[in-house]
């Protein structure tokens, strides 16, 4: 998805001598994905990015599975996840499979004592509550309510929050996160019918070269373990960089809904894709305009996928008693649909102000111990008349 971008100072030709004012060489690093066959960037450091001083004992953050196999419509009350000071400790995985992990987090404090790198997954962090700055060697991205922060694997970062009141919905993808293929032309440009375009993408700005030596703690996640590394140089020592591999952001408020005379299927809401799953954005939009249209969604049998809906804000016409931060999981194998009475009630309505994030995974999701603790156990009965 990202287009070519560059910040700072780089040499005229790649892989050539690039020297500091004192005559010594800057350290060039190629950050590549899928071997050398996909997106990459070239980074120029004040020091080699390889100076490891200490390696601590790794510890597990693997999700603890509580319900591996199930066929039950499930609801989780996401804001019942208790806030914690530390960013990493606040991240609670709730729904997981071999393609992605879905977590909730309510961190109160900024990351100041360490840096974090996810080496096993791309991260999509949806900002439900809070504002602040994503800080990386590539530059800074200011974030606010409704932003998706897309952080490619291998990116060292810190999150700086403006207040203690933060709520995050996090997707870890074990495959690259991209824009939907059907919205891109053969050259990678988003086409005219896409619900967003390159102008909507927030790229890093304000590259600040931190030329420091010392002890810098970087917590690196790999295969479900956190490895505490101590490096001898600051990880944000980028002099400059260019390429296609870097963090970026997109606001759900910039997603332009696709509507029609009759009810449109969920793929029109697709925003990102990974291997075996998609991420969709439900935003305020005009309802269907056929004179006999039914705005409420029709009953649907999930044959090939589970369906996860994360409720963000607004009035959800198809469900009763929805609260902010609620997650519904409708597993593949049984149908689901609008709440009793909502179909007839929707007729004649012209607009919805709902805001939600939907994920459709094509392999079943498992519930973790953290999920069970915030489950509404009676949700599966919500269609009883």
């Amino acid at each position: 998805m990202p287009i070519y971008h560059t910040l700072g100072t780089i040499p005229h030709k790649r892989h050539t001598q690039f020297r500091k004012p004192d005559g010594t060489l800057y350290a060039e690093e190629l950050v590549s994905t899928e071997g050398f066959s996909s997106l990459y960037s070239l980074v120029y450091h004040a020091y080699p990015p390889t100076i490891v001083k200490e390696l601590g004992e790794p510890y597990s953050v693997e999700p603890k599975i509580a319900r591996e196999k199930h066929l039950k419509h499930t609801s989780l009350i996401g804001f019942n996840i208790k806030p914690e000071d530390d960013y990493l400790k606040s991240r609670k995985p709730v729904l997981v499979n071999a393609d992605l992990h879905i977590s909730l987090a309510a961190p109160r404090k900024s990351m100041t004592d360490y840096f974090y790198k996810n080496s096993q997954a791309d991260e999509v962090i949806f900002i439900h509550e809070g504002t602040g700055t994503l800080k990386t060697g590539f530059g800074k991205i200011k974030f606010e309510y409704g932003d998706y922060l897309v952080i490619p694997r291998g990116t060292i970062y810190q999150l700086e929050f403006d207040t203690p009141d933060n709520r995050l919905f996090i997707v870890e993808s074990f495959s690259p996160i991209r824009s939907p293929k059907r919205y891109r032309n053969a050259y990678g440009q988003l086409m005219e019918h896409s619900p967003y375009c390159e102008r909507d993408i927030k790229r890093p700005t304000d590259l600040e070269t931190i030329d420091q030596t010392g002890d810098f703690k970087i917590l690196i996640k790999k295969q479900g373990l956190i490895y505490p590394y101590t490096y001898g140089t600051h990880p944000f020592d980028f002099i400059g960089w260019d390429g296609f591999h870097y963090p970026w952001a997109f606001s759900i408020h910039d997603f332009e809904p696709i509507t029609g005379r009759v009810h449109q299927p969920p793929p029109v809401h697709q925003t990102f894709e990974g291997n075996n799953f998609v991420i969709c954005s439900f935003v305020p939009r005009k309802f269907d305009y056929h004179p006999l249209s039914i705005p409420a969604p029709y009953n649907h049998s999930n044959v090939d996928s589970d369906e996860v809906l994360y409720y963000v804000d607004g009035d959800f016409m198809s469900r009763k008693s929805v609260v902010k931060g609620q997650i519904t999981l409708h597993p593949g194998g049984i149908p689901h649909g609008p709440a009793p009475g909502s179909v007839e009630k929707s007729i004649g309505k012209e607009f919805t102000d709902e805001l939600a994030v939907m994920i459709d995974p094509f392999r079943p999701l498992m519930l973790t111990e953290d999920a069970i603790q915030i489950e509404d156990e009676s949700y599966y009965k919500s269609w009883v008349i």
Side-chain angles (χ1 to χ4, degrees):
M1 172 58 229
I3 56 179
Y4 175 83
H5 190 42
T6 182
L7 283 177
T9 304
I10 60 176
H12 176 64
K13 292 285 289 183
R14 56 187 176 181
H15 316 322
T16 59
Q17 296 177 32
F18 183 33
R19 296 187 180 275
K20 302 179 184 180
D22 66 4
T24 59
L25 288 168
Y26 289 115
E28 183 183 47
E29 178 190 13
L30 173 67
V31 183
S32 63
T33 60
E34 298 182 11
F36 292 83
S37 302
S38 191
L39 301 181
Y40 68 92
S41 287
L42 279 168
V43 174
Y44 297 88
H45 297 269
Y47 305 95
T50 52
I51 304 173
V52 178
K53 297 176 72 173
E54 297 288 343
L55 175 56
E57 192 66 29
Y59 58 90
S60 177
V61 289
E62 196 74 33
K64 297 178 180 177
I65 305 302
R67 191 180 299 158
E68 180 180 358
K69 298 177 181 179
H70 60 99
L71 190 62
K72 174 188 176 184
H73 290 321
T74 302
S75 178
L76 310 176
I77 309 304
F79 277 23
N80 283 353
I81 292 288
K82 291 182 171 56
E84 296 192 38
D85 287 344
D86 181 73
Y87 168 66
L88 288 184
K89 290 180 180 177
S90 76
R91 291 168 53 130
K92 309 296 183 186
V94 290
L95 300 170
V96 301
N97 68 15
D99 301 308
L100 75 159
H101 288 178
I102 299 172
S103 299
L104 298 168
R108 282 188 290 239
K109 293 186 177 181
S110 301
M111 300 165 64
T112 56
D113 299 331
Y114 64 88
F115 304 84
Y116 176 60
K117 177 167 73 171
N118 193 331
S119 287
Q120 69 179 30
D122 286 20
E123 294 190 351
V124 179
I125 304 176
F126 179 78
I127 310 298
H128 194 164
E129 290 186 352
T131 60
T133 305
L134 169 66
K135 302 169 73 173
T136 75
F138 295 95
K140 302 174 184 178
I141 300 176
K142 291 192 174 297
F143 61 80
E144 59 187 351
Y145 163 60
D147 280 344
Y148 293 101
L149 299 177
V150 182
I151 307 174
R153 72 199 61 205
T155 303
I156 299 172
Y157 72 86
Q158 287 182 321
L159 289 178
E160 181 178 88
F161 300 106
D162 294 330
T163 73
D165 303 315
N166 305 288
R167 290 280 176 180
L168 312 176
F169 177 76
I170 302 171
V171 178
E172 292 179 78
S173 170
F174 302 115
S175 59
I177 289 290
R178 298 192 172 108
S179 58
K181 186 176 181 180
R182 68 180 179 281
Y183 291 139
R184 287 182 269 121
N185 62 25
Y187 306 98
Q189 183 181 15
L190 289 166
M191 291 189 284
E192 277 290 296
H193 66 285
S194 171
Y196 60 95
C197 73
E198 286 81 3
R199 293 186 191 182
D200 300 316
I201 302 302
K202 294 196 283 189
R203 291 175 283 171
T205 60
D206 302 323
L207 186 146
E208 178 186 6
T209 304
I210 304 179
D211 186 342
Q212 292 180 7
T213 59
D215 296 325
F216 300 93
K217 186 178 182 180
I218 302 177
L219 300 180
I220 304 176
K221 186 174 184 180
K222 182 75 172 180
Q223 294 178 301
L225 298 176
I226 295 286
Y227 293 85
Y229 269 75
T230 301
Y231 278 84
T233 58
H234 197 289
F236 300 164
D237 70 339
F238 291 27
I239 300 298
W241 65 274
D242 76 333
F244 288 73
H245 179 86
Y246 56 85
W248 51 283
F250 170 72
S251 174
I252 195 172
H253 305 298
D254 286 329
F255 187 88
E256 299 300 330
I258 298 171
T259 60
R261 275 174 35 97
V262 295
H263 192 85
Q264 297 298 293
V268 302
H269 306 286
Q270 187 180 347
T271 312
F272 309 111
E273 65 184 18
N275 185 46
N276 287 327
F277 74 95
V278 298
I279 300 176
C280 302
S281 300
F282 287 84
V283 302
R285 61 195 182 277
K286 290 283 189 181
F287 273 141
D288 328 310
Y289 45 90
H290 186 283
L292 296 178
S293 68
I294 300 176
Y298 34 76
N299 295 301
H300 175 59
S301 290
N302 291 34
V303 176
D304 295 318
S305 73
D306 288 1
E307 178 186 288
V308 174
L309 203 61
Y310 178 75
Y311 295 93
V312 179
D313 209 346
D315 179 26
F316 294 91
M317 159 272 295
S318 62
R319 299 237 38 98
K320 299 176 181 178
S321 304
V322 168
V323 296
K324 291 182 180 181
Q326 182 175 346
I327 295 175
T328 56
L329 166 63
H330 301 136
I334 49 176
H336 68 278
S342 61
V343 174
E344 191 71 47
K345 187 179 177 180
S346 75
I347 295 174
K349 290 194 174 182
E350 297 182 354
F351 186 85
T352 176
D353 65 350
E354 67 185 13
L355 203 64
V357 177
M358 187 178 81
I359 299 174
D360 279 0
F362 296 99
R363 283 198 268 195
L365 289 165
M366 299 174 283
L367 278 77
T368 68
E369 292 180 1
D370 288 309
I372 298 301
Q373 293 178 14
I374 59 171
E375 182 182 7
D376 174 3
E377 295 184 0
S378 64
Y379 173 76
Y380 73 96
K381 297 181 180 180
S382 61
W383 289 269
V384 176
I385 299 175

